[in-house]
Amino acid sequence: MKKYPVYDIQRFNCNSVNSDLYLNTFKNHLIDHSFIEEPHRHNSYVLVFFTKGSGTHEIDFDVFTIQAGSMFFLQPGQIHHWNLSDDVEGFVIFYSQEMYNLYFGQKTLQDYPFYSSVNNKPEMVFDLAELKAILPYFNTMIAENKENQMFKQDKIMNLLDTILIAIARKYTVTNLHEAHSYNVKIKSFEGLLEKNFKIEKTPSFYASQLHITLKHLNRICNEILQKTTTEVITDRILLEAKRMLMDKKITVNEIATALGYDDYSYFTRLFKKHIGITPSAFRIEKK
């Protein structure tokens, strides 16, 4: 088993000086880059929209069914790969945080609810009416990318942002908790967790950093994520463990240490309790 590769945008934009933006129809994307069907990561944000075909898309060890209207939004570092039907059609866009910030400095990608947390589901399905409504934006982006008109990149980026706004509106309706008053606190908690989960494992640490009681933090997590604070922390640790296990060069003991567990056996028991198998067995299973 080899370490999953991390692809940057330049790998796909081999004939362009632009290393911060790539867009293509999915059919042409597969023709030019057949290697993307193997498990891999990106160091950029990824947006994929399927308009035809079927298959499965595995993202960070969760498997999603592909159908017409399937929209996927990946954050940098997520492991993914697909198993696709021959008639698949759609669009794929890669873009960097730096490129987005250059155009929309007054907001960040994390302001969009589907990018605000590693715990968020990276998939939505647009029904037929919604598909028809958003499809012209993708088609216009592809057409614009083929031309060399003035303000070309400006128009493409604004079309991309229009698509992200449409996704956010649907995502918010689908996931009603995003409009909840607890949303600000949960975003702050998830931001703290992302920075500290390898070192700080106790819910009380995060509650104190947020200047709220542990009871209140648990209430927020239960309301928004339907999990306890401890479960949210553990889920983030185990996701990182599973990602690291894909690299055969790192021993399980080294992974435990990197994630803040000096007791290797405790880490192994924790992993088995929540995943159902030991870290070593998981590595073999994903080989």
Side-chain angles (χ1 to χ4, degrees):
M1 181 175 62
K2 60 182 180 180
K3 182 178 180 180
Y4 287 3
V6 179
Y7 297 136
D8 59 29
I9 299 177
Q10 191 62 48
R11 177 71 181 267
F12 302 90
N13 269 348
C14 54
N15 296 319
S16 171
V17 295
N18 188 353
S19 61
D20 292 300
L21 179 67
Y22 167 85
L23 60 143
N24 207 343
T25 63
F26 203 87
K27 184 169 287 187
N28 287 337
H29 181 64
L30 283 178
I31 293 171
D32 297 335
H33 310 101
S34 59
F35 59 84
I36 59 111
E37 294 192 69
E38 297 298 322
H40 61 280
R41 306 171 188 249
H42 296 270
N43 64 359
S44 61
Y45 287 83
V46 178
L47 182 64
V48 182
F49 185 43
F50 289 98
T51 57
K52 184 182 177 183
S54 60
T56 58
H57 188 185
E58 183 171 329
I59 305 172
D60 274 338
F61 316 103
D62 291 326
V63 179
F64 302 93
T65 299
I66 293 171
Q67 58 185 291
S70 290
M71 183 86 75
F72 296 96
F73 21 87
L74 280 71
Q75 302 179 53
Q78 291 190 284
I79 296 174
H80 79 123
H81 70 279
W82 10 59
N83 185 0
L84 305 168
S85 62
D86 293 335
D87 62 340
V88 71
E89 292 182 11
F91 305 88
V92 58
I93 307 171
F94 304 151
Y95 52 101
S96 69
Q97 173 114 19
E98 293 72 23
M99 170 67 79
Y100 187 87
N101 289 346
L102 178 67
Y103 281 86
F104 308 104
Q106 78 280 11
K107 60 182 177 181
T108 69
L109 286 170
Q110 286 70 37
D111 289 331
Y112 288 112
F114 48 89
Y115 280 145
S116 66
S117 167
V118 73
N119 290 309
N120 287 337
K121 189 177 180 181
E123 176 245 20
M124 279 195 318
V125 179
F126 283 63
D127 63 29
L128 183 59
E130 293 167 332
L131 188 157
K132 289 181 177 179
I134 202 169
L135 184 58
Y137 297 113
F138 285 94
N139 284 327
T140 303
M141 286 182 76
I142 295 297
E144 187 70 27
N145 195 47
K146 293 178 180 178
E147 302 296 329
N148 194 25
Q149 300 285 345
M150 62 188 300
F151 305 120
K152 168 183 174 178
Q153 193 159 275
D154 302 64
K155 183 173 181 178
I156 289 174
M157 290 303 297
N158 278 285
L159 285 165
L160 172 61
D161 201 45
T162 300
I163 291 169
L164 295 180
I165 290 170
I167 297 171
R169 289 176 176 176
K170 178 175 173 59
Y171 191 94
T172 301
V173 171
T174 305
N175 302 271
L176 293 177
H177 66 70
E178 292 296 342
H180 198 283
S181 60
Y182 285 172
N183 193 42
V184 173
K185 281 296 184 187
I186 206 70
K187 281 188 177 182
S188 297
F189 168 47
E190 290 169 337
L192 282 169
L193 180 61
E194 196 62 26
K195 293 177 182 177
N196 298 286
F197 72 89
K198 293 180 181 179
I199 302 170
E200 298 291 345
K201 309 288 194 292
T202 61
S204 58
F205 167 81
Y206 296 98
S208 66
Q209 291 294 306
L210 293 167
H211 308 292
I212 59 177
T213 65
L214 178 55
K215 183 178 180 180
H216 188 44
L217 179 56
N218 270 318
R219 186 184 303 119
I220 292 171
C221 288
N222 274 306
E223 178 74 19
I224 305 297
L225 303 173
Q226 290 77 54
K227 299 177 182 178
T228 65
T229 307
T230 299
E231 287 173 337
V232 175
I233 296 169
T234 302
D235 284 352
R236 182 62 188 93
I237 294 166
L238 293 175
L239 172 58
E240 197 67 22
K242 288 190 285 187
R243 288 175 173 175
M244 295 178 75
L245 284 164
M246 295 300 99
D247 185 354
K248 191 177 180 181
K249 295 178 181 178
I250 307 175
T251 67
V252 176
N253 192 38
E254 288 171 335
I255 292 172
T257 301
L259 293 176
Y261 296 98
D262 294 328
D263 186 344
Y264 163 80
S265 61
Y266 176 80
F267 169 73
T268 299
R269 291 196 303 272
L270 177 74
F271 192 95
K272 185 175 181 180
K273 176 183 176 182
H274 292 275
I275 307 302
I277 55 177
T278 65
S280 297
F282 178 86
R283 172 173 272 170
I284 293 170
E285 184 180 275
K286 293 296 180 179
K287 188 174 182 178

